[in-house]
Amino acid sequence: MFVHNPEHAHLDREELHERLREAFAVLEEFAHARRIGGYGVAAWSAFTSGAFTVTELLDLAREAAGSGEHHLRAVQLPVILVMARPISLALDGRGPLVQARSAGLTTFGSSPLHGGELPRLATPELADYIRPGSTPAAACLLAAVSCPSLDVVLLSASTPEHWAAAQEAAAAPLAPDQLRKVTDVLAQG
C-alpha cells in the first residue's frame, strides 16, 4: 500500500511529517494484523521540493512502529526524461533512489512516458541518440529503465504489441555513461 502524493496536501513540513507519522502508525497496525505486507510512499514532487527525504521517511516509520522494526518497504517517484533530476542524481550515486536502495527499500519509477505525452514530444533525433533505430516511446522508456538504483518501472500498455515493445526496450538497458550523455544533452536544451 502506498501513501500517495502526501505533498499535495500543501501542509508545512512539520504538519506533513506529523500526518505521515499518523498514517504510518495505521499502516503499521495493518501490517501487524497481516492485512498488508508493507507500505511505501509515492511522491510526485516531495523529494525535489524538500517536503521530506528518504531518511526522514525512515525516521517517521521507526517512530510510528515504536522501534526499528517498521514495515516501510518502498518509495516511488517519477523517473522520466522531462524531469531528469532523479536520473542525474542516481548516476552521481546520490539522491532519493540511491538513498532508498541503500536503506533496503524497493524503488519504483513512475510515469516513464509522462502519461503517454513524452513519445509525442521526443524527436526522432533524440530517440536515435538514445538508441539508434528506436522509436521515441522505446527510447524514452529505455532511459527510465536504465536509471541506477531503480528496481521497478511502472508502465501501462494499451495493447499486447505495446507491452512487447516495452519489454524489448527494457531488455538491454543503457550503460551509465550513455545515459549520462543523454541527460547532459537534455540539460543543455
Side-chain angles (χ1 to χ4, degrees):
M1 179 172 290
F2 280 93
V3 176
H4 192 70
N5 291 335
E7 73 274 22
H8 289 184
H10 303 292
L11 303 170
D12 65 42
R13 283 182 99 250
E14 187 176 318
E15 190 172 357
L16 175 62
H17 290 207
E18 181 57 35
R19 294 263 181 99
L20 280 168
R21 187 181 304 103
E22 291 168 1
F24 288 0
V26 171
L27 294 168
E28 287 293 336
E29 290 174 18
F30 286 178
H32 285 290
R34 294 195 166 115
R35 294 177 64 193
I36 62 172
Y39 59 92
V41 175
W44 185 257
S45 61
F47 294 109
T48 56
S49 71
F52 49 74
T53 65
V54 171
T55 301
E56 289 169 330
L57 291 176
L58 290 163
D59 289 344
L60 292 168
R62 282 189 280 275
E63 291 168 15
S67 73
E69 299 297 318
H70 60 80
H71 292 86
L72 178 63
R73 300 288 188 254
V75 296
Q76 175 188 319
L77 61 146
V79 176
I80 176 174
L81 284 177
V82 295
M83 296 168 52
R85 183 148 172 79
I87 298 171
S88 296
L89 287 171
L91 284 165
D92 291 340
R94 304 179 302 129
L97 293 170
V98 171
Q99 293 164 355
R101 168 83 70 75
S102 295
L105 301 178
T106 302
T107 57
F108 289 79
S110 63
S111 199
L113 299 179
H114 202 53
E117 292 178 29
L118 192 54
R120 290 189 296 275
L121 300 173
T123 64
E125 293 81 16
L126 176 61
D128 208 46
Y129 184 75
I130 293 171
R131 167 114 350 117
S134 65
T135 65
C140 294
L141 178 60
L142 178 59
V145 301
S146 300
C147 182
S149 295
L150 186 62
D151 295 309
V152 178
V153 174
L154 301 172
L155 178 70
S156 65
S158 56
T159 67
E161 293 79 22
H162 286 157
W163 184 246
Q167 288 177 307
E168 183 179 331
L174 297 172
D177 62 327
Q178 177 61 20
L179 184 57
R180 168 73 69 201
K181 288 177 187 175
V182 170
T183 59
D184 288 349
V185 164
L186 291 173
Q188 296 172 11

